[in-house]
Each structure stands twice: as structure tokens, then as C-alpha cells.
Amino acid sequence: MEEAVKIEGEYMTLGQLLKETGVIDTGGMAKWFLQEYIVYVNDEEETRRGRKLYPGDIVRFEGGEAFVLE
């Protein structure tokens, strides 16, 4: 099941999502996390922490956890 995440502006970056959802502790960990784990944005593998996420985007981790942006 996907957990909903509310965007406070026009978009949110993947790094911000990782930090806001508690997947990582600090923004500086985003680059390392994306090198070590497979992350999909809308079913496409993504490695850029600056990837812009918009309402309706779905972010999934290889472990099965998923977030949908609102």
C-alpha cells in the first residue's frame, strides 16, 4: 500500500521526500542512499536526488515501501 505525502509547493525533490518520510536522517544522505538502493519514480529507476516530484507521482523502494504525492 502507498503512503500519501503532501507537497507544500509546486513540487518536491526526491531528496526532500526521502528526508521528510524518515527514510534518511539528513539531506546529505540522499546521494549515498540513491547509490546503495534502487528507487523507482513512476516505475522508472531514479538516481538523481534533485528529481522533481509532482502530485500524482509514485515513488517505490526495492523493499516494497511506496509513497504517492498529493
Side-chain angles (χ1 to χ4, degrees), residues 4-18:
V5 176
K6 178 80 173 146
I7 295 178
E8 294 298 322
E10 182 182 344
Y11 65 87
M12 165 186 282
T13 66
L14 182 54
Q16 289 171 325
L17 174 80
L18 294 172

Side-chain angles (χ1 to χ4, degrees), residues 2-70:
E2 299 156 349
E3 182 180 331
V5 176
K6 178 80 173 146
I7 295 178
E8 294 298 322
E10 182 182 344
Y11 65 87
M12 165 186 282
T13 66
L14 182 54
Q16 289 171 325
L17 174 80
L18 294 172
K19 186 169 184 246
E20 186 172 309
T21 57
V23 174
I24 58 175
D25 295 326
T26 66
M29 294 177 68
K31 186 175 180 179
W32 166 83
F33 183 87
L34 294 169
Q35 289 175 343
E36 295 294 318
Y37 297 95
I38 298 173
V39 176
Y40 297 95
V41 176
N42 300 327
D43 295 323
E44 293 182 16
E45 190 171 338
E46 185 58 69
T47 59
R48 298 172 295 161
R49 64 183 173 171
R51 164 75 186 260
K52 293 178 181 177
L53 305 173
Y54 297 92
D57 284 347
I58 299 173
V59 178
R60 294 187 194 281
F61 302 104
E62 66 180 326
E65 190 173 11
F67 299 96
V68 62
L69 285 85
E70 298 181 334

